[in-house]
Amino acid sequence: VYSPTLLGHPLLSKLKLAKRQFMLDLCTSAVERTFITAGQEVFVEGTESRCILFPASGKLEYTTSMDDVPALPLFAGHWACEASLWMDWTHVGSLMAETACDMIHFTADAFRTLAQKQVQCFAELCEYARAFAEHAQTTVEGTRVVLDVWID
C-alpha cells in the first residue's frame, strides 16, 4: 500500500530491489499515514524533526525565513526531512498544506531500529548515509543551505 509513495526515494527504491524484506518490514511495522487538512502546518521552522515525510496526494508549500530561498511546492513524489534519518535535525523552514493531503511517514527511530535488525542492508545504508553527509557538507561549504525538502 505504501510502497509506491516511498519508492520515489532513491535509497528506498534500491532497498526494494535488493532487500525486499527490509521494505516489507518498514511498510508493515514503521510506516504511518496521516491526513492533513488545507491550511494545516505540518512542521515549523526551528522545531526538532523526528520523521521523514512523503506526500502521497495534495499540495504543500515549504517556506523559510532565508531571503534567497523561494517558497517551494511539494507534491507526491517529493519528500521532506530526510536529514532526520541520518543526524539530529532542526527544521530550517516550515511546511504547510495548501490542499488536503495524504502523508506517509516514519520516524527516524523506527528506521534506525529496523536498520539495526537488518544486517544484510548495512552496506547499502552506510553507503547512502556517507553520500548524504557528503552532500550536506558540500552544500554548507558552498554557502547553499541544506533544506528540509529535496526537490530536483
Side-chain angles (χ1 to χ4, degrees), residues 90-107:
T90 300
H91 294 295
V92 295
S94 299
L95 186 65
M96 181 176 286
E98 289 194 347
T99 66
C101 298
D102 182 8
M103 298 289 286
I104 308 299
H105 58 93
F106 53 88
T107 67

Side-chain angles (χ1 to χ4, degrees), residues 127-141:
E127 178 185 333
Y128 188 88
R130 263 192 297 279
F132 187 90
E134 286 174 13
H135 167 73
Q137 289 174 348
T138 300
T139 303
V140 169
E141 291 170 6

